[in-house]
Amino acid sequence: MSKFKINSEHKNARTATLILNGKKINTPFFMPVATKGSVKMLSHEELKELGTQCLISNAFVLSLKPGTEIIAKHGGLHGFMNWQGGIFTDSGGFQVLSDTFCRKLTEEGVLFRNPYTGVDSMFTPEESTRIQNLLGSDVAMVLDDVPKAGAIKQRVSQAMERTTSWAQRSKDAHKNKKQLQFAIVQGGVHKPLRKKSALALTEMNFDGYAIGGLAIGEPLSKMKETIEYTIPFLPKEKPVYLMGVGSVKELVESVEMGVDCFDSAFPTRTARHGKAFVGAGHINIDAAIYRDDTKPLDEKCACMVCRNYSRAYLHHLFSTKEENAQKWLSYHNLFFVQQIMKKMREEINSGNFSSSAFLKKLSAGKI
Ligand SMILES: [Zn+2]
């Protein structure tokens, strides 16, 4: 039975229902990042209240602490976290390859040093899949080889080829029948590499396809061009997930290109730095002009923070380093993103969605 049912299409944008172990996720949707099993500053109750359907955690990070077996013993990630919504787990390719962990990258996998024990171990596609099977997330991601920002084409090509062979190994190792498994298209901003990656992974018949290796510092125009180029090589009847994108303009433009699923720490990370999403842009609550501003963060926003607190109050809390300022800005930013996703779903369903018109309405305070 298909786990992804397309409801409505408008040009390349679409709405669908993604069924994750009985949970119906309305797409396009956005996932807050809970790397270690918690979204920074927010409780699960608050996440539910602001319309979160799914979270994404990190398999590699969780396997180091508290350890895969502890989580498996407590009913998997859903039980351990007591989160009944959807859960994706990222494989940990990006993290294990960072300078913090990586000792050596080979065809077999990544030799990494565990910072808690000082012991070196291999992290392979099979191990990442085994961990995710035990964590019991609804969607597991394959282990990918993620080239660093600004890597030369030869390295990007090697990483793409390796991601393809690791995807097959991840698929062969996948034993949890209740868990979907998504592949990750690599290839940087090089079109022939993206095409080759997308076609090879499509052959392997995964449950969904992610576009990885973007939003790492390349120009936004290049990112957009790469997404637009890659999507037509992916099967239309499967979900498309753009990894690491969470700024308003890029979310809206990517939905128009046919992306169904997003994750990013951007809304909460920027909130902790004092940036609140307003209209199609943001304000810095730290700025002196808000010292005496009685308006809410965003006059169109119906979130708990905008209904109750003024910019002046939030400015005061932020400038005196009261933690509630970071918490409430995180709440507002995530609510704001969830509202945008909802509005886009409504517009696609009514057959009247274009990113430029949508962004114009957002800027004018008409959404
Ligand atoms: Zn708000």
Side-chain angles (χ1 to χ4, degrees):
M1 195 186 82
S2 170
K3 305 278 187 193
F4 186 68
K5 293 177 182 153
I6 295 173
N7 302 322
S8 195
E9 289 174 275
H10 181 63
K11 296 181 189 156
N12 293 324
R14 69 255 190 103
T15 58
T17 310
L18 175 64
I19 301 166
L20 301 178
N21 289 312
K23 299 176 280 279
K24 290 182 177 169
I25 312 295
N26 298 312
T27 81
F29 68 102
F30 176 85
M31 296 187 279
V33 176
T35 301
K36 297 177 189 167
S38 162
V39 175
K40 288 197 194 318
M41 319 292 300
L42 297 174
S43 71
H44 295 348
E45 287 65 33
E46 289 163 327
L47 290 167
K48 266 183 255 167
E49 191 179 284
L50 58 80
T52 310
Q53 304 183 78
C54 255
L55 297 176
I56 181 160
S57 288
N58 192 286
F60 171 68
V61 171
L62 288 169
S63 75
L64 300 179
K65 225 176 198 168
T68 313
E69 281 65 28
I70 295 265
I71 296 175
K73 236 171 91 182
H74 287 78
L77 260 184
H78 287 94
F80 188 59
M81 290 166 62
N82 193 26
W83 170 260
Q84 280 75 39
I87 302 179
F88 280 49
T89 38
D90 196 4
S91 56
F94 182 77
Q95 284 72 19
V96 76
L97 282 162
S98 69
D99 295 338
T100 318
F101 298 105
C102 184
R103 305 278 290 158
K104 201 176 173 198
L105 168 64
T106 64
E107 197 49 46
E108 170 64 13
V110 185
L111 184 71
F112 75 97
R113 178 154 297 174
N114 183 327
Y116 302 116
T117 62
V119 175
D120 288 353
S121 317
M122 278 300 279
F123 193 64
T124 60
E126 290 78 10
E127 178 62 3
S128 174
T129 306
R130 185 190 74 86
I131 291 167
Q132 295 184 77
N133 283 180
L134 285 168
L135 294 179
S137 53
D138 299 296
V139 178
M141 303 304 298
V142 300
L143 183 64
D144 56 341
D145 180 359
V146 192
K148 286 201 169 70
I152 57 166
K153 192 178 173 188
Q154 195 188 4
R155 166 67 187 126
V156 178
S157 174
Q158 178 203 47
M160 182 278 288
E161 298 286 0
R162 191 172 280 144
T163 297
T164 306
S165 71
W166 284 3
Q168 185 62 57
R169 283 168 55 190
S170 297
K171 193 169 169 66
D172 294 343
H174 191 243
K175 304 281 181 261
N176 186 340
K177 299 270 178 266
K178 287 182 166 175
Q179 186 179 57
L180 303 184
Q181 192 182 38
F182 284 18
I184 305 175
V185 178
Q186 287 289 349
V189 292
H190 306 285
K191 289 179 180 171
L193 300 184
R194 285 283 171 186
K195 180 180 176 184
K196 194 172 177 197
S197 175
L199 293 178
L201 296 170
T202 300
E203 278 285 296
M204 295 177 203
N205 193 26
F206 280 92
D207 298 306
Y209 294 87
I211 302 175
L214 290 176
I216 54 169
E218 72 284 356
L220 288 173
S221 59
K222 273 276 171 203
M223 180 174 97
K224 190 178 168 185
E225 202 182 298
T226 307
I227 300 164
E228 201 161 26
Y229 176 81
T230 306
I231 290 178
F233 295 110
L234 297 172
K236 259 201 117 171
E237 70 283 6
K238 301 278 174 82
V240 176
Y241 165 22
L242 177 59
M243 304 182 89
V245 168
S247 56
V248 171
K249 184 168 180 277
E250 280 64 44
L251 287 172
V252 175
E253 289 179 349
S254 304
V255 164
E256 187 175 44
M257 292 189 271
V259 177
D260 307 298
C261 167
F262 301 88
D263 82 286
S264 171
F266 184 74
T268 44
R269 195 175 54 233
T270 51
R272 295 197 303 281
H273 289 99
K275 287 187 168 68
F277 292 172
V278 175
H282 69 266
I283 61 166
N284 283 308
I285 199 63
D286 205 18
I289 46 166
Y290 303 119
R291 221 183 110 236
D292 192 23
D293 191 336
T294 53
K295 291 195 292 293
L297 288 174
D298 185 314
E299 283 176 296
K300 292 302 270 183
C301 181
C303 87
M304 175 275 289
V305 181
C306 291
R307 279 187 283 112
N308 288 294
Y309 309 121
S310 67
R311 288 175 173 180
Y313 180 52
L314 293 165
H315 169 87
H316 160 68
L317 295 185
F318 195 82
S319 58
T320 52
K321 301 198 169 19
E322 282 293 325
E323 285 170 6
N324 273 340
Q326 295 188 323
K327 178 183 169 63
W328 288 337
L329 258 60
S330 300
Y331 186 102
H332 162 80
N333 280 359
L334 283 181
F335 182 93
F336 193 92
V337 168
Q338 297 299 354
Q339 282 300 112
I340 284 178
M341 301 311 292
K342 189 167 163 240
K343 288 270 161 39
M344 286 196 283
R345 292 194 293 268
E346 286 168 7
E347 291 204 355
I348 296 166
N349 285 339
S350 68
N352 182 33
F353 173 70
S354 96
S355 66
S356 54
F358 193 89
L359 288 167
K360 253 187 219 152
K361 279 188 274 178
L362 258 184
S363 294
K366 289 182 181 158
I367 290 182

